[in-house]
Amino acid sequence: MKSDEREEIFAYLEKMLVALKFGSITLIVQDGKIVQLEKNEKVRLHSNKNR
């Protein structure tokens, strides 16, 4: 993997991590290279005690 490719991946990953409160980030690897990043974000709702 080239240095500029690595920096691009780390930049995207950092943006995803900063924006994510709850959830996961998945790295998709093909032929030994990261080809895709997926962010799965969870939204936590406060429980409504008046139900």
Side-chain angles (χ1 to χ4, degrees):
M1 181 184 312
K2 295 179 183 177
S3 179
D4 55 334
E5 291 174 337
R6 187 176 304 145
E7 287 178 25
E8 183 181 12
I9 290 169
F10 286 140
Y12 275 111
L13 188 55
E14 184 176 28
K15 285 180 188 178
M16 291 175 140
L17 285 169
V18 168
L20 188 65
K21 257 190 164 174
F22 299 99
S24 61
I25 295 174
T26 305
L27 298 135
I28 308 300
V29 178
Q30 186 175 11
D31 295 327
K33 295 181 181 180
I34 297 171
V35 295
Q36 185 172 321
L37 300 173
E38 295 179 358
K39 181 171 78 169
N40 188 3
E41 189 166 3
K42 306 292 183 186
V43 177
R44 303 270 173 126
L45 304 174
H46 296 287
S47 62
N48 187 350
K49 295 180 181 181
N50 296 331
R51 286 188 186 178

